[in-house]
Amino acid sequence: MTLASCIKLLYGSQTGNAESISKHLYEEALARGFDCSLAVLDDYEKVSFTDNCVLVIVVSTTGDGDFPDNTTKFFRWTRRGKKEDLVAAFAGKQFTVLALGDTNYTNFCQTGKRIERRLLELGATTFLPKGMADDGTGLEQVVDPWVSNLWKTLPTIVAQDIEKAKQFDEKATASASPFKKVKSETSTDAPETSKPASVAAAATAVAGAPATEVKYDDAMETTPSPYAPSKVVFDSSAVPKTAADVVGAAMIPTEYLRVSESGVVREPAVARKSPFHLFEQKTANDPFEYTANNLFSSRISAHRYLTGKKALKQVLEVTLDLKDMNWSVQPGGVVGILAPNPDEVVLPLLKRLDIDGSKVLNVGFLNPGSTAGALPFVTDAPYTAYEAFRYFLDLNPPLRKPLLRVMAEYATDETERISLLHLTSTAGASLFKTVKQATPSFADLLETFQSARGIPVNRILESLTRLQPRFYSISQIDETAGTATVAFNIVEYTHSVTGKSILGLCSNYLENVIKSPNYETIPVALFPKPNVVFAPPKEIAAPMILIAAGTGVTPFVSFLQSRANNARAEGGGEITDGILGETTLIHGRRFKDAAVGDRIYGAELDAYVQTRVLTSFIEVLSRGEENTSVKYVQDAIVLHGAKICKSIRDGAYVYVCGGVEMARDVHASLLKVLGEHAKIEGGEAGVKTYVKALATEGRYLKEIWS
């Protein structure tokens, strides 16, 4: 059999997991002696699919079956591209897919399934069964064995540099030894082969130190409490007594970055305001040219709390200045906001790791064949370790075995080293799951395994994933002023396992901004989310059913605002009868008592009721004396089932916005009432088919989160 000459590794990622996995696979493929390239799926035009190659595709699913933002163009091309081009690209091509998803959502791994199905339709063949990893139970349960099988299979179908493969195997055998320590490629002298980084890698870190040693952002009026890392408590009775007794420990991740200090100093006080000094300031003609890698500098022009002081959760609304973005914001629009990691986390972490955060870094590759696309983020100017940790590194990532395996290499206490090795092993799967349930930050891990503090910068950058933006639905749009508002809970809760207080990164950052003097001058880094499908129908006569709990109502406020504006435009400035389709809003909250004040956007919604933009406003209260059997939105669906079914049969669009459990219960209630009132043939199976058809037609859309 003729071997393929190369591997094309393609990925689509929304939160960074698929991207991180892909970039590690790419570097390991090079180290194993394969000719390999790496590209994001939406950059398909730069990929030579006609080469004698195999395809390895790693792709996540976002929301309830949606494509990642950097994958939609690729899939659209496979559906609508020229037939001769698609046949040339994929007919007879061997490929495999690693799909990432979450079984808490209905359409598990939908993106990976659809891509695989489409490539098979185009004549491609799979050389390895699709992997479907579940973030709900732990991606590593599927990813680890799938990757192992990938490396076993590729040498049978792809040409390989035998000498490099031999060197890799020798190094892997040595690193698998529990007694072997590997020297890291980090130094204070810049090697000739290293080049200044316009790119930095993704990492995850948090740490604690005495409060007196923490200097806080002087742009903030209030000084937050220093972060106090916590030890992870676990039963070590099953941990082997010696490293030699550890069975099936993970292999040390491939080392591929070379990091050195340039000699240039930039103090945190200069760099802490925003990341924009690391980028050329470019004006985009298209607002969607602003991305997570090319951020827009916005400001908060106004703010207000939408809840009373007695509310269990405070909801903050901020008005964002977007006029220089040239974005015609549409109802249902979404912005991604990149919040920096706070100094009370970053500075103690750098101190604990003995890293000088003020030194500008040179970052290069150990393998001269690597390309810049293998690095997790790109900047136009070299950055310091402080800047990498503050702006680009996720400090609270899901627990991953590669990080623990790297920590094991630098643990000087043998007991801690053995525990870390065991956590990465097949025999330690149960203990790993226990530790993962505590959702430890990187600082918590360093507090738990205190001897593993000598990890060099390059290994941290390789091991940790990129800090991800937080997405917020736009609630109100002011085209004249060029502003848009977003509203969100100030996230603070007690961890169910550890009892530790957890603060949401972005919501608390934005609240700190508005509490600062001259907050209107503080840059807020953001970008518009493209390809938003959670939007009202273009025909304003089409009926809508809007179902939300808590802050899930925010996008619906923009829906109603748009409908009102369009109705006035058609009615000569007035909202006349017969222009708008019926709109029903079912909104769940906790209390009726106005003193609690959790009736967010109540005044605006009442106004829409008065003008008949909102035909029916059903408020559902889960707590208080007024409670009946209807406590949640799913109960209201059952109570008003006949009316809802008639509206759906009359062409209504159904929208659901809220948490994943709420969406699951709403879905079950919709199936129930359609089965009881809609007279759909085929029984339960027929109802499910009908609802699936609604989703395919774009008449049943969900915006949900876990």
Side-chain angles (χ1 to χ4, degrees):
M1 182 182 73
T2 302
L3 297 176
S5 59
C6 61
I7 303 166
K8 308 284 187 185
L9 211 164
L10 307 167
Y11 70 88
S13 184
Q14 189 71 29
T15 62
N17 283 325
E19 179 180 5
S20 177
I21 291 169
S22 299
K23 291 177 177 180
H24 280 85
L25 288 176
Y26 166 72
E27 291 297 341
E28 186 164 337
L30 294 178
R32 286 176 177 269
F34 293 107
D35 181 357
C36 185
S37 63
L38 177 70
V40 67
L41 280 160
D42 272 0
D43 286 341
Y44 65 89
E45 292 177 330
K46 301 176 183 178
V47 178
S48 179
F49 287 100
T50 56
D51 290 348
N52 178 25
C53 63
V54 300
L55 307 179
V56 177
I57 299 172
V58 183
V59 66
S60 64
T61 295
T62 183
D64 193 31
D66 298 329
F67 284 83
D69 292 336
N70 56 11
T71 306
T72 53
K73 292 179 182 178
F74 168 80
F75 190 71
R76 189 181 303 122
W77 171 62
T78 67
R79 304 291 301 182
R80 304 177 186 174
K82 293 181 180 179
K83 183 176 180 181
E84 57 270 26
D85 292 343
L86 296 175
V87 169
F90 298 113
K93 187 73 67 182
Q94 295 190 85
F95 77 100
T96 186
V97 173
L98 174 59
L100 311 184
D102 189 331
T103 49
N104 286 312
Y105 295 85
T106 305
N107 296 303
F108 175 60
C109 287
Q110 185 74 358
T111 301
K113 292 175 183 176
R114 293 183 69 182
I115 288 176
E116 181 188 60
R117 183 164 59 246
R118 182 56 184 153
L119 296 192
L120 290 173
E121 290 171 353
L122 292 170
T125 60
T126 57
F127 69 83
L128 185 69
K130 173 175 70 269
M132 293 195 294
D134 181 9
D135 198 30
T137 59
L139 295 175
E140 68 285 340
Q141 294 183 22
V142 170
V143 172
D144 290 353
W146 186 89
V147 168
S148 178
N149 287 332
L150 178 71
W151 295 131
K152 291 175 183 176
T153 304
L154 284 174
T156 67
I157 59 174
V158 183
Q160 191 177 18
D161 184 317
I162 301 303
E163 186 59 32
K164 285 186 177 180
K166 182 180 178 181
Q167 292 174 2
F168 180 89
D169 289 341
E170 290 174 350
K171 186 174 181 179
T173 301
S175 69
S177 167
F179 307 105
K180 178 71 175 179
K181 295 288 182 103
V182 180
K183 182 182 178 182
S184 172
E185 292 292 339
T186 298
S187 66
T188 54
D189 300 318
E192 294 181 2
T193 56
S194 72
K195 51 196 176 198
S198 62
V199 194
T204 322
V206 181
T212 55
E213 300 187 15
V214 179
K215 296 180 180 179
Y216 298 102
D217 189 340
D218 54 17
M220 301 301 177
E221 180 179 25
T222 57
T223 300
S225 301
Y227 178 85
S230 302
K231 285 188 176 182
V232 181
V233 179
F234 60 91
D235 182 2
S236 61
S237 61
V239 176
K241 301 301 181 185
T242 68
D245 294 327
V246 176
V247 178
M251 191 175 69
I252 300 175
T254 301
E255 185 175 7
Y256 61 90
L257 291 179
R258 187 191 304 274
V259 178
S260 62
E261 295 176 352
S262 69
V264 177
V265 173
R266 185 162 55 244
E267 293 293 340
V270 176
R272 64 166 48 99
K273 295 293 178 67
S274 82
F276 288 103
H277 61 283
L278 298 173
F279 299 91
E280 289 182 24
Q281 297 307 297
K282 306 170 187 175
T283 301
N285 295 321
D286 181 348
F288 294 106
E289 291 177 13
Y290 292 109
T291 66
N293 297 315
N294 180 34
L295 295 160
F296 175 77
S297 180
S298 180
R299 302 288 191 277
I300 295 175
S301 60
H303 63 86
R304 61 173 174 155
Y305 287 94
L306 300 181
T307 45
K309 293 182 179 180
K310 293 183 179 180
L312 296 182
K313 292 182 179 180
Q314 290 295 315
V315 176
L316 174 65
E317 178 194 73
V318 298
T319 302
L320 300 167
D321 184 348
L322 305 175
K323 57 179 174 289
D324 292 334
M325 188 188 285
N326 300 315
W327 181 26
S328 179
V329 185
Q330 299 301 307
V334 174
V335 292
I337 298 178
L338 189 66
N341 292 307
D343 275 354
E344 66 269 23
V345 169
V346 173
L347 296 177
L349 171 64
L350 293 170
K351 179 178 177 62
R352 167 164 277 182
L353 293 168
D354 196 24
I355 294 173
D356 187 341
S358 66
K359 298 290 181 66
V360 174
L361 302 177
N362 292 327
V363 180
F365 290 104
L366 294 176
N367 190 321
S370 297
T371 60
L375 296 172
F377 57 88
V378 178
T379 59
D380 295 318
Y383 50 85
T384 63
Y386 168 81
E387 291 161 347
F389 283 16
R390 180 161 169 81
Y391 298 117
F392 303 112
L393 312 179
D394 184 359
L395 308 187
N396 291 278
L399 187 66
R400 297 175 63 243
K401 291 183 179 181
L403 171 61
L404 297 176
R405 187 63 183 86
V406 168
M407 289 181 65
E409 288 304 293
Y410 297 93
T412 56
D413 179 88
E414 189 63 13
T415 299
E416 292 183 355
R417 175 174 163 76
I418 294 169
S419 293
L420 285 162
L421 288 170
H422 180 66
L423 282 168
T424 74
S425 71
T426 52
S430 177
L431 184 58
F432 177 85
K433 184 177 181 179
T434 298
V435 173
K436 187 173 184 177
Q437 289 173 343
T439 59
S441 67
F442 185 35
D444 294 335
L445 292 174
L446 291 173
E447 181 71 12
T448 305
F449 305 102
Q450 295 188 11
S451 71
R453 61 175 55 207
I455 309 172
V457 174
N458 72 315
R459 292 308 258 164
I460 293 173
L461 298 181
E462 292 165 355
S463 301
L464 304 173
T465 54
R466 181 175 179 173
L467 180 63
Q468 295 299 311
R470 272 55 169 178
F471 291 98
Y472 297 101
S473 294
I474 287 171
S475 57
Q476 299 189 86
I477 303 161
D478 187 334
E479 294 182 359
T480 302
T483 63
T485 63
V486 296
F488 47 86
N489 290 320
I490 305 299
V491 178
E492 182 174 2
Y493 63 94
T494 301
H495 196 287
S496 60
V497 175
T498 65
K500 186 174 182 178
S501 178
I502 305 294
L503 302 179
L505 176 65
C506 194
S507 63
N508 283 274
Y509 158 70
L510 292 172
E511 186 178 41
N512 282 335
V513 169
I514 62 104
K515 289 180 177 179
S516 305
N518 303 315
Y519 70 86
E520 302 96 333
T521 67
I522 300 175
V524 175
L526 57 78
F527 62 97
K529 188 177 188 296
N531 309 312
V532 173
V533 296
F534 195 78
K538 294 180 180 178
E539 304 80 11
I540 63 173
M544 296 191 301
I545 300 170
L546 314 175
I547 306 166
T551 54
V553 77
T554 54
F556 297 150
V557 177
S558 74
F559 284 24
L560 297 170
Q561 181 190 32
S562 174
R563 283 220 151 177
N565 292 341
N566 289 335
R568 290 189 181 97
E570 287 194 17
E574 299 291 333
I575 300 176
T576 57
D577 292 340
I579 290 180
L580 292 174
E582 288 194 357
T583 298
T584 297
L585 170 61
I586 304 175
H587 183 220
R589 66 179 200 276
R590 288 186 174 87
F591 301 102
K592 183 177 182 179
D593 186 356
V596 175
D598 64 351
R599 190 175 186 255
I600 62 175
Y601 287 117
E604 289 84 350
L605 295 172
D606 288 341
Y608 288 128
V609 171
Q610 290 295 318
T611 56
R612 300 292 293 167
V613 174
L614 184 54
T615 315
S616 177
F617 184 14
I618 302 170
E619 299 182 81
V620 185
L621 308 174
S622 63
R623 301 183 189 180
E625 295 178 0
E626 299 81 2
N627 285 349
T628 64
S629 59
V630 179
K631 297 182 63 176
Y632 303 105
V633 291
Q634 58 267 29
D635 302 326
I637 291 171
V638 174
L639 180 65
H640 300 277
K643 178 182 176 182
I644 288 172
C645 286
K646 182 180 183 305
S647 186
I648 293 173
R649 284 301 219 182
D650 288 343
Y653 288 69
V654 181
Y655 299 88
V656 181
C657 189
V660 63
E661 292 183 6
M662 167 269 209
R664 188 186 301 117
D665 292 337
V666 164
H667 185 78
S669 291
L670 285 172
L671 292 176
K672 175 181 173 64
V673 299
L674 284 167
E676 292 177 353
H677 300 286
K679 298 180 181 179
I680 297 171
E681 296 182 356
E684 184 178 335
V687 172
K688 289 181 178 179
T689 301
Y690 178 80
V691 171
K692 186 175 181 180
L694 289 178
T696 302
E697 295 168 14
R699 287 181 50 211
Y700 179 30
L701 297 172
K702 292 181 275 188
E703 184 75 28
I704 57 180
W705 55 83
S706 56

